[in-house]
Amino acid sequence: MRIASVNVNGIRAAMRKGMAEWMASRSPDVVLMQETRAEAEIVEELLPEWYTTTEASRIKGRAGVAAALRSEPLAVRRGLPGETSDVDSGRWLEVDVTTASGTPLTLITAYLHSGTAGSPTMDLKYSHLDLVEARLSALAGEAMSGRRHVLVVGDFNVVRGPADIKNFRSNHNKTAGVLDTEMAYLDRWFTGAWRDVHRELVPTAEDGAPGPFTWWSNRGKAFDNDAGWRIDYHMASPRLAATASSAVVDRAPSWDTRFSDHAPLTVDYATDGL
């Protein structure tokens, strides 16, 4: 099963800029999207050959996540348990598909808050991260018991450490996404019940240079200089992670050929063995 995750930065603009051509070339079985900024009917119109399901934000033009699959899922769950704020909406979508053994595989597309260091938006971010952590704990228990396999993908808006950002020192504990208090969440997740599939398949370079990256700021020449961040993840339960065979970041050949400020992250899983 080829599963792609991509923050599309507005699905209507992405489709105009070449997203459909990328999908045809990469040929994924599942595309899990973030920041669609669109209602369900718009996503359906743009992807008529797919079965799509969407969780739109309650704030129009903000956030939004969607899943595009080759066939209808077994079940769909929208939002996080305990979610009450409108700013948390449109950020979490779960779809269940089945594996060869009949065990459900839960696919989750997540768009976590970005926040701004030193502002009230960080309180919103930490509250949201707490909701995510609680849900991950429940899902990990089900995965460990063998009741389901789980894959959480998306734009987490946090790096794990120096290997995931070009300019770590100048951003560390100054810029949202590179604060120790944020990175502690990911450290708990990835040293606990979850596996960082991309990093396990594509370790850092022998010279210790950071990367590969999945997002580049639109400011200055960040893309041209490859001054990026790795903030898009495939986070899998252990048995599913063990079936992963390849991970690819489809970085556009040039700034003007991108369809988003994020690059798609695609992983191949041998789900027939689950």
Side-chain angles (χ1 to χ4, degrees):
M1 183 180 289
R2 176 164 289 178
I3 302 175
S5 173
V6 58
N7 179 317
V8 298
N9 196 21
I11 190 169
R12 284 166 284 201
M15 293 297 283
R16 288 197 306 269
K17 295 177 181 178
M19 181 178 168
E21 289 77 8
W22 164 76
M23 291 175 69
S25 173
R26 181 54 65 189
S27 191
D29 298 297
V30 178
V31 183
L32 300 171
M33 295 164 275
Q34 306 88 44
E35 207 171 356
T36 55
R37 303 181 196 163
E39 304 296 326
E41 54 270 20
I42 293 172
V43 177
E44 292 171 4
E45 290 172 5
L46 292 170
L47 299 169
E49 70 277 20
W50 296 76
Y51 181 90
T52 60
T53 185
T54 299
E55 167 68 342
S57 174
R58 292 190 289 270
I59 303 175
K60 190 172 182 178
R62 294 277 301 277
V65 288
L69 305 95
R70 298 291 186 184
S71 58
E72 186 173 354
L74 300 173
V76 176
R77 293 174 295 279
R78 295 177 170 86
L80 285 161
E83 184 181 292
T84 58
S85 171
D86 284 354
V87 297
D88 287 338
S89 66
R91 294 180 179 273
W92 188 272
L93 175 67
E94 302 182 10
V95 296
D96 292 345
V97 298
T98 189
T99 61
S101 67
T103 303
L105 167 58
T106 295
L107 304 172
I108 300 170
T109 175
Y111 176 44
L112 308 188
H113 283 277
S114 55
T116 300
S119 81
T121 61
M122 291 306 298
D123 294 332
L124 295 172
K125 183 170 188 173
Y126 291 126
S127 295
H128 189 242
L129 285 168
D130 288 339
L131 292 177
V132 171
E133 191 158 75
R135 181 58 181 151
L136 290 177
S137 178
L139 289 166
E142 294 191 36
M144 290 180 65
S145 70
R147 292 198 298 273
R148 72 176 66 243
H149 307 287
V150 184
L151 175 65
V152 186
V153 310
D155 177 3
F156 289 8
N157 272 309
V158 182
V159 302
R160 289 190 65 187
D164 302 315
I165 178 172
K166 180 71 172 286
N167 299 309
F168 180 79
R169 185 174 298 178
S170 61
N171 286 282
H172 185 214
N173 283 328
K174 301 181 184 74
T175 307
V178 201
L179 307 180
D180 286 339
T181 45
E182 300 170 286
M183 293 188 289
Y185 283 89
L186 270 62
D187 186 60
R188 288 194 295 272
W189 301 345
F190 287 124
T191 58
W194 304 96
R195 302 267 294 275
D196 184 350
V197 177
H198 181 202
R199 182 56 78 202
E200 290 186 14
L201 290 172
V202 185
T204 52
E206 291 184 5
D207 62 1
F213 307 121
T214 61
W215 174 78
W216 300 262
S217 171
N218 281 323
R219 297 178 180 176
K221 291 189 175 292
F223 185 84
D224 294 338
N225 296 328
D226 199 22
W229 301 37
R230 188 177 77 101
I231 54 176
D232 301 87
Y233 296 88
H234 275 233
M235 184 169 69
S237 51
R239 284 188 61 196
L240 176 63
T243 74
S245 58
S246 67
V248 177
V249 176
D250 282 319
R251 186 180 189 272
S254 62
W255 185 91
D256 60 335
T257 58
R258 302 185 302 166
F259 64 80
S260 172
D261 53 349
H262 291 251
L265 172 60
T266 305
V267 178
D268 287 343
Y269 297 91
T271 56
D272 287 349
L274 292 175

